[in-house]
Amino acid sequence: MKLGIVGLPNVGKSTLFNAITNAGAQSANYPFCTIEPNVGVVAVPDKRLDALAKMYEPEKFTPASIEFVDIAGLVKGASKGEGLGNKFLANIREVDAVIHVVRCFENDDIVHVDGSIDPKRDIETINVELILSDIEVLDRRIEKTQKLIKGDKKYQTDYDFFLRVKKALDEGKPARSVDCTPEEAELLASVSLLTNKPIIYAANLSDSDFKDGSADGNPYFNIVKEIAKSENAGVLPICAEIEAEISGMEPEEKELFLSEMGLEQSGLDRLIKAGYELLGLISYLTAGKPEVRAWTITKGTKAPQAAGKIHTDFERGFIRAEVVSFDDLMECGSMTAAKEKGLVRSEGKEYVMKDGDIVLFRFNV
């Protein structure tokens, strides 16, 4: 999963990026690497994987990972190549989802690029540039579809739908705000519009606003929440300042600090969880002495396709999947005990994988 972090200057975008990627680097159990200065790969914390590692004491421990990209700053006119506009748009095209950091805190020492705190204006500044870029892309697709209608009237439905999306863009609304049937959503996905990408608005609050995890007292946060709702987008209150403070702490120290703040999880953990939910992702696990590993798949994936994540041969020669739920395995204490109790199931090609399934795939090629 690749998440792009965007935002105007001085909203806390880079502070958040540095904090979450440094947190990944500091976490003892999880690997981390920097691909280039603005890209960090962070392991997905998973207590189930930790428990399996204790049980099997494996030679190798491989959690799922997320790539965070600190996307080049944006200025008005980016859609026309102003500033780092072209790089900004190219970077967004490459990510699976966008985290848009919106400033919701007052601080006289940190000057806002537009002179005042206004989340609605800030969101519109970035959305307008993405929408202008999308209009160009969609216009080309509309033109192409119009030509296809001459040869086959079945394309009329596609054409009418694209015009409906164009109308929303012309009104300054992102493509993701357009209500779609499953078929229309598939058609829209084929156009590769930037404003159709899943998005989480990360409302960056001051630490005093964020205490106890309740952000509803902040009027700016409520504005962001309303915008997110109108766009079918996610929203997450976060405090980049707190994330920066805990990023270098040891796990026990971090847990104590968060507890004192009245928080159950760090912003990174909540961001990862929100990203998984937004993209409809789950993890299944493989466990044994050689390796304990998490594999990320889309909800609804069937066993052969899940096996294909490990190796294409596993999918091609799929015979069956031996599956036990994580909770059942932990309760039994070992795979042998789980088998004796009949809790290890043999599943076929139509089995839909569940989050936390521990699987051994049988295949033959």
Side-chain angles (χ1 to χ4, degrees):
M1 178 161 60
K2 196 171 182 179
L3 300 178
I5 303 178
V6 304
L8 294 175
N10 292 348
V11 298
K13 176 175 73 80
S14 293
T15 303
L16 182 63
F17 171 79
N18 292 335
I20 59 183
T21 51
N22 189 45
Q26 293 293 328
S27 182
N29 286 338
Y30 303 112
F32 161 86
C33 66
T34 299
I35 299 169
E36 52 181 275
N38 70 327
V39 180
V41 178
V42 176
V44 175
D46 192 331
K47 287 179 180 175
R48 299 171 303 191
L49 213 58
D50 296 337
L52 289 172
K54 278 183 187 173
M55 182 183 280
Y56 285 95
E57 296 182 347
E59 292 158 22
K60 199 175 174 189
F61 178 88
T62 314
S65 63
I66 290 184
E67 196 171 302
F68 285 97
V69 185
D70 185 10
I71 290 178
L74 175 137
V75 293
K76 285 175 184 172
S79 57
K80 303 295 178 193
E82 293 290 328
L84 291 169
N86 292 328
K87 183 174 168 58
F88 175 85
L89 297 171
N91 282 340
I92 290 189
R93 286 195 200 286
E94 290 170 10
V95 301
D96 299 307
V98 175
I99 300 160
H100 183 163
V101 182
V102 185
R103 180 168 168 175
C104 294
F105 66 89
E106 300 274 5
N107 187 328
D108 294 338
D109 295 332
I110 304 171
V111 180
H112 190 287
V113 68
D114 286 324
S116 62
I117 311 301
D118 185 344
K120 187 172 185 291
R121 178 201 58 214
D122 292 358
I123 288 170
E124 281 174 358
T125 297
I126 286 185
N127 276 355
V128 161
E129 296 305 326
L130 300 184
I131 286 167
L132 289 171
S133 174
D134 279 353
I135 287 171
E136 282 186 26
V137 172
L138 189 59
D139 278 344
R140 288 196 292 271
R141 185 63 178 267
I142 287 170
E143 197 179 319
K144 186 180 171 186
T145 308
Q146 201 170 16
K147 286 174 184 173
L148 291 170
I149 294 171
K150 291 172 185 173
D152 194 335
K153 293 294 178 193
K154 73 176 184 182
Y155 290 104
Q156 184 67 48
T157 311
D158 294 3
Y159 179 74
D160 292 342
F161 171 67
F162 289 143
L163 286 183
R164 185 150 60 88
V165 177
K166 173 79 187 309
K167 183 174 183 286
L169 293 174
D170 286 341
E171 290 169 357
K173 296 172 187 169
R176 77 181 78 83
S177 67
V178 177
D179 289 328
C180 300
T181 64
E183 294 75 21
E184 287 171 343
E186 206 174 308
L187 182 62
L188 188 55
S190 72
V191 191
S192 189
L193 299 179
L194 299 174
T195 62
N196 194 39
K197 283 189 182 289
I199 187 167
I200 300 168
Y201 286 110
N204 189 16
L205 308 162
S206 67
D207 57 357
S208 56
D209 275 336
F210 199 70
K211 204 162 184 183
D212 299 326
S214 174
D216 290 337
N218 181 309
Y220 300 130
F221 174 63
N222 291 317
I223 291 168
V224 177
K225 261 205 314 193
E226 284 304 308
I227 292 169
K229 190 178 172 185
S230 73
E231 290 186 8
N232 302 318
V235 63
L236 189 74
I238 205 159
C239 176
E241 202 178 317
I242 291 175
E243 295 308 308
E245 206 166 329
I246 65 173
S247 64
M249 290 182 182
E250 292 300 321
E252 298 80 11
E253 191 188 355
K254 182 163 79 174
E255 212 168 292
L256 183 65
F257 180 90
L258 290 171
S259 174
E260 285 171 358
M261 291 289 294
L263 303 170
E264 289 176 16
Q265 291 178 305
S266 71
L268 172 60
D269 290 352
R270 290 184 303 112
L271 206 47
I272 288 170
K273 187 182 174 189
Y276 266 66
E277 286 172 1
L278 192 68
L279 293 168
L281 302 175
I282 59 171
S283 293
Y284 75 84
L285 315 168
T286 52
K289 186 65 182 169
E291 185 179 30
V292 163
R293 182 165 183 165
W295 303 85
T296 303
I297 54 172
T298 306
K299 277 179 193 170
T301 299
K302 291 183 179 177
Q305 287 70 48
K309 288 284 287 184
I310 299 175
H311 198 286
T312 50
D313 285 352
F314 282 33
E315 182 176 354
R316 194 158 51 91
F318 180 88
I319 299 169
R320 67 180 185 276
E322 292 175 10
V323 185
V324 62
S325 78
F326 172 78
D327 290 340
D328 285 345
L329 180 61
M330 287 299 113
E331 204 174 301
C332 294
S334 72
M335 190 63 83
T336 306
K339 282 179 179 173
E340 285 169 0
K341 289 188 177 180
L343 295 170
V344 179
R345 312 181 309 275
S346 181
E347 302 286 2
K349 290 183 177 181
E350 293 305 307
Y351 177 69
V352 176
M353 302 292 291
K354 295 180 178 63
D355 188 45
D357 275 348
I358 297 163
V359 195
L360 174 64
F361 292 110
R362 300 289 184 188
F363 72 102
N364 183 34
V365 287

